[in-house]
Amino acid sequence: MNPIAVIVGKVSKMSAKVGNLRHTRTRKSLIDAFIELASEKDFEKITVLDLTERASVNRATFYAHFQDKVDLIDAVISDSATSMLEKRTEERVQFNVQFLQQLVLAVCDYHQHLKGQCKRSYMSIAPLLKEKMLEALQLYLTKSLADIYTESERQLYVPIYAAILYEAGHLWGTEQVAYNSRELAERTAKLILPY
């Protein structure tokens, strides 16, 4: 093989790695900037200019990563929902009481985490929280029920179970129930699997 072609190939691969790393760092700095700003002011009052100044990037760079600030919060919330579920279930997907309890605890963690990070904006982003966590719960439940129910049964049960699990965690996160998260998880799992 031509030695120059080998060198050009290596340089090209290194350049791609640096570009990916830069892309990841910039995206993370924008997300971090949003989280900082969300603890200081309401979501509606956060502007793209605020985000770019805090992240020390220009507007074009922001728009290379996100369509708008709603797209940014969407990414933050989606990543958070998925990571909470993965962390709680350790990616073991088996439809049983323990699995359901871990899903409720993940929703509680999700609300607690985002409530802590986005103090001022928590209530205004609550509808997005629900949407993203329901999507993540439905994926997990669909996997766990694959060998138990037919597809038409899953189409019925998955959204119902996801709604129950989400609502339990939401009630806990908004301090509307007197149970601690463990008690809540146990009681909620028994609603779905009473035996």
Side-chain angles (χ1 to χ4, degrees), residues 1-13:
M1 184 174 248
N2 183 343
I4 293 176
V6 171
I7 292 170
V8 168
K10 286 181 180 182
V11 168
S12 178
K13 286 180 185 178

Side-chain angles (χ1 to χ4, degrees), residues 34 43 68-78 118 125 128:
F34 170 77
F43 176 69
D68 53 26
K69 71 178 187 177
V70 175
D71 188 32
L72 169 60
I73 184 87
D74 189 56
V76 170
I77 292 171
S78 293
C118 305
I125 62 173
L128 284 171

Side-chain angles (χ1 to χ4, degrees), residues 69-89:
K69 71 178 187 177
V70 175
D71 188 32
L72 169 60
I73 184 87
D74 189 56
V76 170
I77 292 171
S78 293
D79 292 349
S80 183
T82 302
S83 70
M84 293 298 170
L85 289 171
E86 287 172 353
K87 183 178 172 184
R88 275 290 176 177
T89 62

Side-chain angles (χ1 to χ4, degrees), residues 6-25:
V6 171
I7 292 170
V8 168
K10 286 181 180 182
V11 168
S12 178
K13 286 180 185 178
M14 286 175 32
S15 177
K17 282 184 182 180
V18 169
N20 288 340
L21 184 59
R22 187 176 302 124
H23 179 83
T24 302
R25 283 186 184 156

Side-chain angles (χ1 to χ4, degrees), residues 85-120:
L85 289 171
E86 287 172 353
K87 183 178 172 184
R88 275 290 176 177
T89 62
E90 297 175 353
E91 298 187 53
R92 286 185 290 223
V93 179
Q94 184 178 5
F95 193 74
N96 58 33
V97 171
Q98 293 78 21
F99 176 70
L100 294 172
Q101 289 173 353
Q102 293 307 309
L103 293 180
V104 173
L105 291 170
V107 176
C108 292
D109 293 347
Y110 178 67
H111 278 282
Q112 187 174 33
H113 176 73
L114 290 170
K115 192 175 188 179
Q117 286 192 322
C118 305
K119 292 176 185 81
R120 298 276 313 252

